[in-house]
Amino acid sequence: MRYYPVSLDIQGRACLVVGGGQVGSRKVGALLACGARVTVVSPQATETIANLAQQGRITWKQRAYRSTDQQGTFLVIGATNDEALNQRIHDDAEQAGRLCNIADQPQRCNFVLPSVVRQGNLTIAISTSGQSPAFAKYMRRQLQAQFGPEYGRFLDLMGALRRRLLAEAHAPEAHKPIFERLIDEGLLALIRQDDHPKIDALLARVVGPDVTYAGLMADDAVDDRHLPPKE
């Protein structure tokens, strides 16, 4: 296996995209969705990139790439159709030990981007190690049909319950049987059916009579309001 699977936390980290075309726009959108601080370097850019820059959501340096653009960045993405420029971006990143991806050129990457299915906090990544991006996209479509939005709601509920149990000073090792029983007794299917009475009955049976779906979700919403805003 050549690639080591990993999920990167780029919240608040400086990321650079070189290239302002459609590919660059997609890369920028994905980085922003994960909370990155994004800078784009490109003489021209799509309307999407221009609007994001105007809104202050990204920085757009409207000029040609310079090696110094990589200073202070955590991750670099090259999204140009200039072979010499792509090689230079790669070389600059390698020299500095930075994470670097050149779109559609795995030989110039020290990491590759998988095809991703997201449902809330559920992330499923599909990689063919750069051998067939088309097949990775096919697999993503298959998995999107299989894993619906109920998986995101399920994880929201499980996360809210976990935080509540931790707040009540339960030992973490005591949580595992509770969560396993909820899974084994069909909590996911009940969430798919949006059957709140049966969800509450299951929670009462496994966790306690004072635990309800609405209560957990309300507690979770309060917790989210106390988190720092995403950039």
Side-chain angles (χ1 to χ4, degrees):
M1 184 175 69
R2 176 176 176 182
Y3 294 100
Y4 181 66
V6 63
S7 295
L8 291 175
D9 181 0
I10 58 171
Q11 179 83 33
R13 293 185 183 271
C15 297
L16 174 68
V17 177
V18 182
Q22 293 298 329
V23 174
S25 290
R26 291 197 298 273
K27 305 301 184 185
V28 167
L31 292 169
L32 286 178
C34 295
R37 293 186 292 112
V38 181
T39 297
V40 175
V41 175
S42 180
Q44 293 85 34
T46 63
E47 184 177 350
T48 297
I49 288 176
N51 287 339
L52 289 170
Q54 188 174 21
Q55 296 164 15
R57 296 183 60 193
I58 67 170
T59 298
W60 175 24
K61 296 181 179 180
Q62 195 172 358
R63 55 164 172 76
Y65 168 77
R66 301 169 186 166
S67 296
T68 53
D69 289 326
Q70 291 198 25
Q71 290 179 357
T73 61
F74 176 72
L75 180 153
V76 179
I77 294 178
T80 85
N81 56 9
D82 184 325
E83 292 291 320
L85 176 55
N86 287 338
Q87 185 64 51
R88 182 181 165 198
I89 296 166
H90 166 269
D91 292 345
D92 289 343
E94 282 290 307
Q95 185 175 3
R98 293 190 177 91
L99 292 169
C100 180
N101 176 274
I102 305 298
D104 297 324
Q105 297 181 14
Q107 73 278 10
R108 291 192 174 112
C109 303
N110 56 26
F111 75 97
V112 293
L113 292 165
S115 191
V116 175
V117 176
R118 296 188 192 278
Q119 291 292 358
N121 285 306
L122 176 65
T123 301
I124 303 172
I126 309 107
S127 174
T128 61
S129 299
Q131 300 305 302
S132 180
F135 184 69
K137 291 178 182 178
Y138 167 80
M139 288 296 300
R140 183 187 66 198
R141 291 193 296 268
Q142 299 296 309
L143 291 171
Q144 280 176 330
Q146 181 177 350
F147 295 91
E150 68 273 11
Y151 283 83
R153 296 195 299 270
F154 170 79
L155 288 177
D156 287 343
L157 179 61
M158 295 291 262
L161 177 58
R162 178 176 177 272
R163 285 185 284 276
R164 176 166 177 163
L165 293 175
L166 288 172
E168 293 175 354
H170 286 97
E173 59 271 16
H175 299 165
K176 185 177 178 181
I178 294 174
F179 294 123
E180 289 180 343
R181 186 176 170 191
L182 289 172
I183 295 168
D184 291 342
E185 295 196 21
L187 178 59
L188 177 60
L190 294 177
I191 291 176
R192 182 183 295 115
Q193 297 160 12
D194 203 28
D195 193 334
H196 288 210
K198 288 187 178 179
I199 294 171
D200 287 345
L202 177 57
L203 289 170
R205 187 166 66 251
V206 176
V207 187
D210 60 333
V211 180
T212 65
Y213 180 86
L216 287 170
M217 292 297 95
D219 290 345
D220 201 43
V222 171
D223 289 342
D224 286 345
R225 286 199 295 271
H226 288 86
L227 293 174
K230 291 185 178 182
E231 303 214 4

